[in-house]
Amino acid sequence: MNRIKGIRLGLFSVALIASGGLLTQNDTTFVYTGNPIVKYKYTADPAAMVYNDKVYLYAGHDECPPGSEYYQINEWCVFSTPDLKTWTEHPVPLKAKDFSWAKGEAWASQVIERNGKFYWYVTVEHGTIPGKSIGVAVSDSPIGPFVDARGSALITNDMTTEYTQIFWDDIDPTVFIDDDGQAYLYWGNTQCYYARLKENMIELDGPIVAVDLPCFTEAPWIHKRGEWYYLSYASEFPEKICYAMSRNITGPWEYKGILNELAGNSNTNHQAIIEFKGDWYFIYHNGSINPHGGSFRRSTCIDRLYYNEDGTMKRIQMTIEGCQ
Ligand code: FUB
């Protein structure tokens, strides 16, 4: 068990209403004291969503024992904050094995809201179709509980073999709803893909399209600011985060270079980008918790993101102080 370096405010034993949100049994609150955000457990592959004046942070729970070097991620966690200072961890809302067709492995994911429902796109290892796959869970609340929305995978490895023969290319989903209401799923490892989603958010609405990006490794994330669409992604290995821009959600994408350098003590970097109360934030992971942090015991951090006048993004400055 890691030493808790943040200040824990309390473990709630009764349900109570506070700050406009429901705190339930086993919610844990803590005050942000700089990066990493969560100091008492390992949290990887952050995805963030802004909803009703709160930031919701979703992350895989790295549980690889110290001394071992492999991904052991069985469940995802959810945290919320109204101000990026006071955070609440809610009970575990979803596990890889909640998908009856999956073998396990709670890899990277993203949650998005549509019409009052919350859709959680996740990477898991498929039970019968060899390779990684993408599933989708749904909930009426951003903190869950979530349930499998389809009873089957949305994307399986055999759907993309015309592009690559590897078993781990169908990972790291990111979802974006464009201004006209059309939803898009981007994902990939080695090869980046996108496909349209139906309005029900749980079925594809067209073909899988390969996206051409220089030195693409994984972890695509789509966001929009003004008239520009941004596709950021992990590049090479160990990973930096690079990005491309376009006037259209489907591209063509113009490569713009490095957004974030190698993250400390971790081969992977995995970013999420959000605007919250008028400021932009870059959320990522590194291996910074001493003494056992590393590529398989990662920690989520947050730093500010700034734009240049022409819409390009300034390189991220990763800090210990973070956004206090
Ligand atoms: O956490 C497992 C995998 O490592 C993720 O799916 C990738 O993005 C990388 O961070």
Side-chain angles (χ1 to χ4, degrees):
M1 174 76 178
N2 298 300
R3 229 175 107 233
I4 299 167
K5 290 188 187 142
I7 304 163
R8 290 287 271 276
L9 287 183
L11 185 65
F12 291 78
S13 56
V14 289
L16 62 107
I17 306 282
S19 318
L22 185 63
L23 293 179
T24 62
Q25 190 169 23
N26 298 328
D27 279 347
T28 302
T29 58
F30 59 94
V31 173
Y32 178 63
T33 57
N35 285 325
I37 299 171
V38 181
K39 296 177 169 67
Y40 55 88
K41 69 199 284 188
Y42 298 110
T43 56
D45 300 325
M49 175 182 73
V50 177
Y51 181 74
N52 274 356
D53 290 332
K54 281 190 175 179
V55 173
Y56 291 87
L57 169 67
Y58 303 87
H61 182 195
D62 267 351
E63 294 182 275
C64 180
S68 299
E69 299 288 293
Y70 53 84
Y71 291 126
Q72 184 168 312
I73 321 170
N74 299 313
E75 62 190 19
W76 295 273
C77 316
V78 58
F79 305 82
S80 66
T81 175
D83 53 12
L84 299 180
K85 291 179 176 22
T86 302
W87 289 78
T88 300
E89 179 173 10
H90 306 281
V92 167
L94 188 65
K95 298 183 177 197
K97 288 197 174 156
D98 289 342
F99 298 92
S100 59
W101 46 268
K103 240 190 224 172
E105 302 191 17
W107 284 23
S109 69
Q110 186 182 348
V111 177
I112 193 167
E113 183 267 346
R114 179 161 212 164
N115 297 333
K117 287 200 181 297
F118 299 85
Y119 296 90
W120 196 339
Y121 298 83
V122 303
T123 311
V124 285
E125 183 73 20
H126 203 283
T128 53
I129 302 171
K132 289 281 181 291
S133 54
I134 293 174
V136 53
V138 66
S139 174
D140 292 330
S141 160
I143 60 169
F146 285 80
V147 294
D148 185 358
R150 288 170 50 97
S152 63
L154 177 61
I155 304 286
T156 51
N157 185 55
D158 55 356
M159 293 163 73
T160 54
T161 42
E162 75 176 271
Y163 300 105
T164 164
Q165 297 301 310
I166 62 175
F167 287 96
W168 57 93
D169 56 315
D170 297 294
I171 68 170
D172 293 6
T174 180
V175 178
F176 184 84
I177 302 173
D178 206 359
D179 300 335
D180 63 0
Q182 177 64 58
Y184 293 82
L185 174 73
Y186 272 75
W187 75 98
N189 176 297
T190 308
Q191 175 64 59
C192 184
Y193 308 102
Y194 83 82
R196 287 178 167 79
L197 290 171
K198 289 190 179 164
E199 184 157 5
N200 66 16
M201 299 298 275
I202 65 170
E203 290 175 276
L204 298 188
D205 195 14
I208 292 173
V209 181
V211 184
D212 200 18
L213 293 165
C215 302
F216 175 83
T217 300
E218 59 186 4
W221 180 273
I222 302 272
H223 76 277
K224 189 178 184 203
R225 177 178 177 266
E227 296 305 304
W228 285 111
Y229 295 83
Y230 298 81
L231 201 182
S232 52
Y233 59 94
S235 178
E236 302 181 318
F237 202 82
E239 297 175 346
K240 342 174 222 321
I241 302 301
C242 294
Y243 77 105
M245 290 167 64
S246 177
R247 290 293 194 189
N248 196 302
I249 176 71
T250 55
W253 295 98
E254 191 180 331
Y255 181 69
K256 295 292 179 184
I258 296 174
L259 176 59
N260 194 35
E261 304 283 359
L262 306 184
N265 202 27
S266 170
N267 283 332
T268 59
N269 196 320
H270 205 110
Q271 82 297 356
I273 293 173
I274 54 166
E275 183 183 20
F276 181 56
K277 298 187 176 168
D279 292 322
W280 286 84
Y281 296 91
F282 184 84
I283 305 172
Y284 58 101
H285 67 221
N286 61 21
S288 63
I289 290 185
N290 275 326
H292 300 300
S295 292
F296 301 96
R297 286 170 294 281
R298 298 163 291 181
S299 294
T300 296
C301 301
I302 181 166
D303 278 294
R304 289 288 302 275
L305 182 152
Y306 298 98
Y307 294 85
N308 295 308
E309 279 190 5
D310 63 358
T312 55
M313 295 188 282
K314 292 187 194 290
R315 205 169 282 202
I316 299 296
Q317 243 188 300
M318 291 180 278
T319 67
I320 296 290
E321 296 83 358
C323 301
Q324 292 181 78

